[in-house]
Amino acid sequence: MPSMPGASRPRLLLAYSACFLLWGSTWAVVKVGLEDLPPLRFVGARMLLAGLVLLPFSGLLRAKLGARTWGMLMGVGVLQIAFPYALLFIAQQWIPSSWSALLFSTYAVWLLVVGRLLLPDQPLTPLKLSSAGLGLTGIVALQYEHLHGLGLTGLVMAGCVLTLLATVSICLANVLVQRSLAHVPTSLVVCAQTLSSSVLLLAASAAFESHLPGHWTPRALLAIAYLAVCATALTYLLLFWLLSHMPLAAIGAMPLLDTLVAVLLGVVMLGERVDSSLLVGGALILSGAALANLPPSSPLDAPAASPRSEPGGSAPRKAA
């Protein structure tokens, strides 16, 4: 693993491994937490706790931003956290965690498409088109077994569609951050959007989930604490440190690693089924994501950088 001066190799390896292992584990933890809490209540509590943990590190209380910047920050936060995370947590009620992680790993592919639409200087090169084709083929292959006799139910299809919509929403938000909020510190973006989104998510839960039972069991509380503290606050802080000590090419490979961790944990911890669809579809999706993360051969081939990634900063997209 190449590194930049200023940090020991063991520390870099430890921080890097912690990021993709923690992100990869989120999908299984979400699946477990949904057994006790409705999705919007669950994700709202997770984001509220994460925002509070990040608050001392963000500079949010000292920030002096104009009204327009605050408005843009909150608005993009809806696209980056509130809307997509609501969809992701709802979708995971109906599809395996391994499917969720693999579908979400098409992020790198969708980012190319969204970046091309909103940033005219980002051409769709043959490499980018190939990665998009592999990703879309993988989505179809992932559902092949269900399309041929195992029963592709409406809820399974809805879960897949919601996951993909969430992924596209985060891509759109990343491009908007690059266009309009690049001057705002990443840590401030993360904290402000996480806290504001938690308010929206909890309000939506009060409006739409008041009739649903919620069991604040030790398992549910542990899932919220793990997702908020370990898989959000800690990984953000580690990522910020890694961005100044490692090449972006190494950071860009992280989504592939955390997706593999997610699939493995889904099979080992949750007993999710391994079939040809998972293997073939997963391989195609990850290959497409890998192509999308290849370093450009020329300046014109450079993809629209994700100014946030967790969220904010050129790095991998955030996991569930």
Side-chain angles (χ1 to χ4, degrees):
M1 178 186 299
S3 62
M4 298 177 183
S8 66
R9 188 180 182 88
R11 288 176 64 193
L12 286 170
L13 183 60
L14 180 62
Y16 188 87
S17 300
C19 281
F20 75 75
L21 288 172
L22 289 171
W23 282 331
S25 67
T26 58
W27 304 96
V29 176
V30 168
K31 196 75 172 177
V32 171
L34 287 170
E35 296 180 17
D36 296 312
L37 294 173
L40 298 179
R41 200 174 309 165
F42 184 16
V43 68
R46 177 251 181 109
M47 292 303 173
L48 177 61
L49 180 56
L52 293 174
V53 173
L54 286 166
L55 187 58
F57 307 96
S58 67
L60 178 63
L61 300 179
R62 304 183 303 275
K64 296 180 180 179
L65 303 176
R68 183 178 181 278
T69 300
W70 280 117
M72 177 64 70
L73 190 60
M74 299 300 104
V76 175
V78 173
L79 290 175
Q80 197 155 39
I81 295 180
F83 178 67
Y85 273 74
L87 297 185
L88 287 171
F89 275 55
I90 291 170
Q92 274 207 255
Q93 299 175 107
W94 307 321
I95 60 176
S97 65
S98 54
W99 281 41
S100 300
L102 284 168
L103 290 170
F104 193 77
S105 70
T106 60
Y107 165 90
V109 175
W110 296 114
L111 186 63
L112 299 177
V113 177
V114 174
R116 177 63 184 89
L117 293 175
L118 297 183
L119 300 174
D121 61 336
Q122 302 293 332
L124 281 178
T125 63
L127 180 63
K128 294 178 182 180
L129 292 172
S130 297
S131 71
L134 281 172
L136 294 175
T137 304
I139 292 170
V140 175
L142 189 63
Q143 301 179 55
Y144 180 81
E145 294 288 344
H146 288 267
L147 289 169
H148 285 74
L150 294 184
L152 186 64
T153 67
L155 288 179
V156 170
M157 178 64 77
C160 294
V161 171
L162 291 182
T163 302
L164 291 173
L165 283 176
T167 308
V168 174
S169 179
I170 292 175
C171 292
L172 175 60
N174 281 343
V175 175
L176 292 175
V177 169
Q178 181 178 354
R179 287 177 51 177
S180 306
L181 294 170
H183 61 289
V184 181
T186 298
S187 56
L188 194 157
V189 173
V190 173
C191 185
Q193 292 186 344
T194 303
L195 284 174
S196 61
S197 292
S198 72
V199 174
L200 293 176
L201 290 164
L202 291 173
S205 176
F208 301 111
E209 294 179 339
S210 58
H211 64 290
L212 297 177
H215 306 291
W216 296 94
T217 63
R219 177 175 62 181
L221 295 174
L222 185 60
I224 290 171
Y226 178 83
L227 291 171
V229 178
C230 298
T232 303
L234 176 59
T235 47
Y236 284 165
L237 297 174
L238 289 175
L239 179 65
F240 298 154
W241 181 73
L242 285 170
L243 284 170
S244 62
H245 291 88
M246 293 186 65
L248 287 180
I251 301 293
M254 206 179 288
L256 305 179
L257 297 172
D258 72 53
T259 302
L260 292 175
V261 170
V263 172
L264 180 61
L265 290 179
V267 172
V268 174
M269 290 180 55
L270 305 178
E272 294 177 354
R273 182 166 171 251
V274 179
D275 54 28
S276 58
S277 292
L278 179 67
L279 296 175
V280 175
L284 288 169
I285 289 171
L286 292 177
S287 297
L291 280 180
N293 275 299
L294 284 178
S297 56
S298 70
L300 290 178
D301 290 336
S306 162
R308 148 221 88 115
S309 249
E310 278 297 304
S314 299
R317 84 289 183 273
K318 82 195 272 199

